[in-house]
Amino acid sequence: MFRGWFIIYAWLCLLICWAEPAAGQSNAPGSTRLPAVIIHNAEQFNCHLDQIALNMQEKTLCVFKHEGLINAHTIKERSVWYDYGNAYKATIYPQQIAEFTFQYKDNTRLLAAHFNPALRPSLSAREQQALETAQQLVALWIRPGMSETDKLRALHDGIINRSRYTKEPMGNVCDLLLEGRGTCEAYSRTLWLFCRMIGLPCHIVYGHAKEPHAWNLVRIGKRWHHVDATWDDPVNEDAPHLNTLSHRYFMLDDAQLSKGHSWSMGNLPAAASKNAVFFRKNNLYFTDDAALWAVLANAITQGHGSIEVYMAHYESDDSLRRRLQAASYQIPALQAVTAWHGPAPQQSGVVHFIFENAGTPQPADMSHLDFSRGVMVETRRLIDNISHTDLQKTWEEISNTATTWWEQFLEWLQALWEWVLNLFCEQEQP
């Protein structure tokens, strides 16, 4: 009996929520209630979370339709809560009715205030300062005409270049933007905020990489990619010269990242991109040495301190050292390569080359190189020079040597023939 009255009461509450707001009520930003929505799948629920987060709503009431395993009880475990809140409370009612109450993170509050200045007074003084810093940095790093990949790279590189990783409890955007230090959560929250500010879909992923860890999923075009800005900001005690910005964990697919990371997919989108897609897009993916030597020589000639490439034919450090030394006889600029950091032996992967030009190696910020037509034209020119100019000289030397030897051989053969003739002629005389 009691259960029946409770169900009737829940449905009456639902009908009231669906009804038009009465006089004096409002669904404006900052109010605590939105009309109830019907949820058919996790993607719809995530979109609804995004809507209420950008309006700083504290509560939402949802009705879940049975489709597979999507319902009010399982949606709690399968949604991307970490994009928005530090904590939430879910009250489950009968008939698949659920009420969610949120406590938002600073990255969500900053994003809401960025798009709706009316919400800015709700920020703390520290958050308002962080928002101003974020807006200034985005305006500085993002330029008209940049592709989505270039925008993501600019945000990724910018965050790393002005930040330092720490294990101290500094996991907020404000920590990273105002103090210049933060944990992996601070890195992932900040990249999430910047991506969302410029319209790039982004999620925060919580998993493990030797220890609890956080990184991002970002959509470029129609494909999702993993981006781990924390691991691209390395601290290498054994090789301090390699403590530079990296793109080793930039735009990876699920299979690539799973070699060192683990996470629960839940309802997160799958990342299924082409292997080394970032390096392929920037013409830094190499399957042979000739093209690689040309790009290295070009970077050295331009005075850069380092460069990252993807070598599909990497064998081992010793093998690369021998091949590089042999190539330096033909391309003297390659003698400026002082060190590199590559993948495990017999594996393909990212190789970070360090040059002696810069003294103290500069960050491997690839935005300072023109990776489009300019570099490829220069690369092709160098390859052509190697293939034609040098080889032509070598061939001319071989030809000249062979011609000289052949002429000498013919002279010797003629002398031998004359000697034989003279010998027979002497024998025939009486």
Side-chain angles (χ1 to χ4, degrees), residues 194-257:
F194 285 166
C195 286
R196 294 296 304 276
M197 287 174 67
I198 65 172
L200 290 180
C202 183
H203 292 304
I204 300 173
V205 185
Y206 283 77
H208 284 78
K210 299 181 180 179
E211 59 185 3
H213 190 48
W215 62 94
N216 297 95
L217 263 175
V218 186
R219 193 179 75 192
I220 299 296
K222 296 182 180 180
R223 295 184 180 274
W224 289 89
H225 309 270
H226 290 279
V227 179
D228 190 341
T230 307
W231 275 34
D232 276 343
D233 190 3
V235 177
N236 194 325
E237 297 179 355
D238 297 329
H241 60 282
L242 295 176
N243 292 338
T244 55
L245 187 155
S246 172
H247 296 84
R248 196 177 301 273
Y249 297 93
F250 184 73
M251 295 182 67
L252 302 186
D253 61 20
D254 289 339
Q256 291 172 299
L257 192 72

Side-chain angles (χ1 to χ4, degrees), residues 62-83:
C62 301
V63 179
F64 291 85
K65 294 294 184 180
H66 283 286
E67 290 193 9
L69 297 177
I70 302 300
N71 57 60
H73 295 276
T74 60
I75 197 72
K76 296 188 301 180
E77 307 300 329
R78 302 188 62 185
S79 298
V80 284
W81 301 105
Y82 293 115
D83 283 358

Side-chain angles (χ1 to χ4, degrees), residues 46-346:
N46 290 338
C47 291
H48 181 59
L49 286 183
D50 202 53
Q51 177 188 356
I52 67 170
L54 291 181
N55 285 277
M56 296 284 283
Q57 300 291 340
E58 296 178 4
K59 294 184 179 181
T60 184
L61 191 65
C62 301
V63 179
F64 291 85
K65 294 294 184 180
H66 283 286
E67 290 193 9
L69 297 177
I70 302 300
N71 57 60
H73 295 276
T74 60
I75 197 72
K76 296 188 301 180
E77 307 300 329
R78 302 188 62 185
S79 298
V80 284
W81 301 105
Y82 293 115
D83 283 358
Y84 307 102
N86 287 314
Y88 73 96
K89 179 182 178 181
T91 304
I92 308 298
Y93 301 108
Q95 304 300 322
Q96 297 299 101
I97 302 172
E99 182 184 70
F100 297 90
T101 305
F102 299 95
Q103 178 186 350
Y104 291 112
K105 297 178 180 179
D106 67 338
N107 55 292
T108 307
R109 294 194 296 272
L110 293 174
L111 183 66
H114 169 71
F115 286 117
N116 186 354
L119 296 174
R120 188 156 184 167
S122 66
L123 302 180
S124 66
R126 181 175 171 83
E127 288 176 336
Q128 292 189 31
Q129 184 181 0
L131 178 58
E132 292 177 358
T133 302
Q135 292 171 334
Q136 293 170 0
L137 291 175
V138 168
L140 175 65
W141 295 338
I142 304 302
R143 300 183 301 275
M146 295 177 71
S147 66
E148 288 187 340
T149 300
D150 289 338
K151 290 178 181 178
L152 178 58
R153 183 178 68 192
L155 299 179
H156 167 275
D157 294 3
I159 289 173
I160 292 175
N161 282 333
R162 70 185 311 274
S163 307
R164 182 168 61 87
Y165 174 77
T166 179
K167 290 189 176 182
E168 299 176 26
M170 303 178 70
N172 293 325
V173 174
C174 294
D175 296 326
L176 204 68
L177 292 184
L178 302 182
E179 305 295 334
R181 296 183 299 147
T183 61
C184 58
E185 186 171 15
Y187 277 73
S188 58
R189 284 194 193 185
T190 304
L191 184 58
W192 180 91
L193 171 64
F194 285 166
C195 286
R196 294 296 304 276
M197 287 174 67
I198 65 172
L200 290 180
C202 183
H203 292 304
I204 300 173
V205 185
Y206 283 77
H208 284 78
K210 299 181 180 179
E211 59 185 3
H213 190 48
W215 62 94
N216 297 95
L217 263 175
V218 186
R219 193 179 75 192
I220 299 296
K222 296 182 180 180
R223 295 184 180 274
W224 289 89
H225 309 270
H226 290 279
V227 179
D228 190 341
T230 307
W231 275 34
D232 276 343
D233 190 3
V235 177
N236 194 325
E237 297 179 355
D238 297 329
H241 60 282
L242 295 176
N243 292 338
T244 55
L245 187 155
S246 172
H247 296 84
R248 196 177 301 273
Y249 297 93
F250 184 73
M251 295 182 67
L252 302 186
D253 61 20
D254 289 339
Q256 291 172 299
L257 192 72
S258 63
K259 295 178 181 179
H261 295 55
S262 62
W263 65 100
S264 175
M265 286 296 296
N267 69 323
L268 291 171
S273 60
K274 196 173 184 180
N275 181 39
V277 60
F278 169 71
F279 292 93
R280 290 177 186 270
K281 286 185 176 182
N282 288 287
N283 300 316
L284 291 171
Y285 183 95
F286 299 101
T287 58
D288 63 88
D289 284 345
L292 172 61
W293 304 149
V295 168
L296 293 182
N298 181 61
I300 294 168
T301 302
Q302 293 184 22
H304 300 303
S306 63
I307 191 175
E308 277 185 317
V309 301
Y310 192 96
M311 293 181 62
H313 62 296
Y314 187 84
E315 296 177 4
S316 66
D317 284 349
D318 290 338
S319 174
L320 180 58
R321 183 177 293 106
R322 290 192 299 269
R323 284 150 37 207
L324 188 61
Q325 184 177 7
S328 65
Y329 291 108
Q330 290 290 336
I331 312 175
L334 295 179
Q335 297 175 11
V337 178
T338 59
W340 61 84
H341 178 59
Q346 306 304 321

